[in-house]
Amino acid sequence: MGRVRLGAFYSVLNKLFDLAPPLLIGTAVAIVVEKEDSFVAKLGIEDPARQLTWLAVVTAVIWVAESIFEFLQKIVWRNLAQSVQHELRLDAYRHVQGLEMAFFEDEDTGQLMSVMNDDVNQLERFLDGGANSLIQLLTTVLAIGGIFFWLSPAVAWVAFLPMPFIIWGSILYQRKLQDRYKSVRTAVGELNADLAGNLGGIATIKSYAREEGEAERISARSDAYRTSNRAAITLSSAFSPLIRMFILAGFTATLLIGGNLALEGQLDAGSFSVLVFMTQRLLWPLTGLGETLDLYQRAMASTTRILDLVDRPSKIVGGSTVLGTDAVAGKLEMQGVVFAYPGHAPLFDGLDLTFPARSTTAIVGATGSGKSSITKLLLRFYDPGDGQVSIDGHDLRDLELRSLRRSIGLVSQDVFLFHGTIAANIAYARPDASEADIRQAAAAAELDDWIDTLPDGLQTIVGERGQKLSGGQRQRVSIARAVLKDPPILILDEATSAVDNETEAAIQRSMEHIAEDRTTIVIAHRLSTIRNADKILVLDKGRVVESGQHEELIAAGGLYAQLWAVQTGERPQEVEART
């Protein structure tokens, strides 16, 4: 608030000095016409020439002061606008980061980008100039009103007669603009959403030769945005011309009434000059009120969207217990877990699972059986509707979220790499890691030989989402990232589902190395990658239908044996004979 008060103070002084020239003109006219009887002569300067010299000095001082305070108010308001923009965007981003994963699955990324970027910028634009304009307009009305009633109350009421109509018109326009700018903000959000989605899916668009179709779809969105803007522009553009009609009435009345008073000797020439100039200074800035209100309504529509986002509560709230990574044994349990995605039938209905500490447990099953949903529950991306998920006996809902997730490393089939270097992506969980530690993690993921062939080595740029790397290379960078994090619990979610056999073998060796002496959960589609797991859980429609080691499950001839036969072509009897 201190900067707001300082900016307002500079704005008021800037406008007061800006209003001084009409007074100086009136004083100059009085000196020339009245000479020794002028207002300045009453201050003790009787010689007209000396009066003009004194007036010139005062003029110079006023102009310099006006320029200084204009500079100061712009510095304060613009820096304040930048600070508010920065803090509001950061607050919105921090809040969004804390929302549950379901929010991101329901919301469009483009809409979120529109709120955190374009809407925040709209507020910055208003603070950059609109706030100062409103303060200076109020200062103008009060200052000139005082001067008018001091010089000639009979003329003052005529000059101020248009003001109620202008204020009424401003309020009316404000209400009408409000709804139109809400439509504009919604339309631009939808346009940004489609643009972001298309740029992210450009490979799919090209592969299906859908460039023209997508261009037409973006054109339709852009045209909807243009139409929404056109409706708001039509209304806001009509404001200033209508205000000018009221200004014309006020200025003409001042000219006629004040002129007649001067002709009758009831008003001196200098005062009449001041009134004529001041009427213009009073009413003409009101033409800019339309633009200021336009900025204000855009800012308010944007602010509403920002606050709606910031006020949205997170459905996943961390507890107070801090889980020390060094103290984690790594035993995970799911007891009586009931879970369903919003709008879907229950996936788990009383699921019981145990993942022993410092052992490797594999989860297999058909698509949709619930394998990846277990990962989301263990990381507390979602909470169960009933039952409990725990780590070392602690209910996950009692744990501080960051300490929980620092204890778990995730290597997913959908690898996300940030635009930057290989080194920065490997060290994502430990930004302060040394180059030696990064190279050691890369070696564990069997990346070191490949990195040594690159001209820039670890400093090679991977591109957005790692697009400059192959699928296998991205997966190994992800494994190296988990190795460097060194969590007591490691989850490998379909980590080899999208790579070739050679890369799969390399990744398998890496996983066996990093799984030592930690709790490891391997979610796999390729059964060959989990043959050596301490325990294999077979899921079907959200239930564990089989449990055991590879040979036991093959011998049982159940669902696991059927999946194995489909993938390898071997019958269970053949496997038993070889083992």
Side-chain angles (χ1 to χ4, degrees), residues 342-356:
H344 292 77
L347 179 60
F348 302 135
D349 189 8
L351 180 66
D352 293 316
L353 287 179
T354 298
F355 302 96

Side-chain angles (χ1 to χ4, degrees), residues 413-427:
Q413 62 176 332
D414 184 19
V415 178
F416 187 94
L417 299 184
F418 295 90
H419 182 69
T421 65
I422 294 174
N425 275 280
I426 293 176

Side-chain angles (χ1 to χ4, degrees), residues 40 43-44 175 191 195 210 231 254 277 325 333 335 380 386 393 425 466:
V40 178
L43 298 177
R175 290 175 179 172
L191 174 60
L195 286 171
R210 285 288 301 161
T254 302
F277 280 109
T325 304
E333 292 181 282
Q335 299 171 323
R380 210 180 164 214
D386 197 8
N425 275 280

Side-chain angles (χ1 to χ4, degrees), residues 126-180:
F126 172 71
L127 290 174
D128 196 17
N132 172 65
S133 297
L134 288 176
I135 291 172
Q136 291 202 344
L137 181 60
L138 179 61
T139 303
T140 298
V141 172
L142 294 176
I144 294 181
I147 294 171
F148 266 56
F149 282 100
W150 173 52
L151 292 177
S152 177
V155 178
W157 73 268
V158 175
F160 277 82
L161 187 60
M163 295 293 290
F165 298 98
I166 293 173
I167 294 172
W168 172 78
S170 300
I171 295 173
L172 179 64
Y173 266 75
Q174 176 182 331
R175 290 175 179 172
K176 289 184 176 295
L177 280 170
Q178 187 174 13
D179 292 335
R180 298 197 181 187

